[in-house]
Amino acid sequence: MTSSRSALPTQQTLANAPPLTPRSATDVESFVILESSLRNHPELAKEGDKILNPFMLAKLVDGMRRFQDEHLGRKAKLKKYPLLRIPSPLLHDRSRSGPLYTIIVSAFRTKSQSHWRNFNFVNPKLYDDNIALLKRAEADLINGGYLT
């Protein structure tokens, strides 16, 4: 029996979300459905398999989480930008059109408008670019109704 409920995740499904470990087989596998949905997006259809695949998506999300842990929030080493952290439950949602989908589309839009080929949250020279990426993701999440 199919449900007519919205595709938005419930608190229970977010609590049971897979871990954000890019080397974990279950985590990478959890990105398969999201990856196929992203391939249908007109702006991402041109991305190659080396950049848009479940492993790289898991690595991207883990990189964003680690960057936020290091540079944003109370425990940040440097409080240069007034930017909120993207809530962890939003990074755990692997649904076809949920908040993580919105975040990844924002990230690829930012990458396509910049000079980088790959996402790199470790290089200090790309700090300002990564902050811009997170700001755009935050704005898109607000526009999508995932943040207020």
Side-chain angles (χ1 to χ4, degrees):
M1 186 174 181
T2 58
S3 174
S4 62
R5 290 186 180 186
S6 172
L8 292 176
T10 64
Q11 290 291 20
Q12 183 179 7
T13 58
L14 289 177
N16 298 326
L20 287 176
T21 306
R23 291 166 189 84
S24 165
T26 55
D27 186 46
V28 172
E29 186 179 312
S30 71
F31 280 94
V32 170
I33 293 173
L34 184 59
E35 183 242 353
S36 66
S37 182
L38 288 165
R39 288 215 174 271
N40 292 329
H41 193 280
E43 293 178 51
L44 303 182
K46 67 182 186 297
E47 294 293 339
D49 289 340
K50 288 184 179 182
I51 294 176
L52 186 58
N53 63 58
F55 179 79
M56 293 306 285
L57 292 175
K59 189 175 175 182
L60 168 63
V61 172
D62 186 60
M64 289 175 134
R65 184 184 55 82
R66 289 175 189 261
F67 183 83
Q68 288 188 129
D69 288 348
E70 187 172 337
H71 299 288
L72 303 174
R74 290 184 191 163
K75 297 180 183 179
K77 293 179 185 176
L78 177 67
K79 295 186 179 188
K80 187 175 176 182
Y81 292 96
L83 182 69
L84 293 176
R85 293 168 51 103
I86 296 172
S88 195
L90 299 183
L91 295 174
H92 287 153
D93 181 8
R94 308 293 200 272
S95 63
R96 291 181 182 267
S97 61
L100 186 56
Y101 176 90
T102 303
I103 293 167
I104 292 172
V105 169
S106 294
F108 274 93
R109 280 182 183 151
T110 304
K111 184 179 82 69
S112 71
Q113 295 171 355
S114 69
H115 60 280
W116 8 297
R117 292 181 187 170
N118 297 314
F119 296 103
N120 185 340
F121 291 97
V122 180
N123 186 346
K125 292 179 181 178
L126 297 176
Y127 180 83
D128 291 333
D129 293 331
N130 290 326
I131 290 293
L133 183 150
L134 292 174
K135 282 183 177 181
R136 182 174 193 154
E138 181 184 46
D140 288 348
L141 287 169
I142 291 169
N143 290 338
Y146 298 110
L147 289 178
T148 55

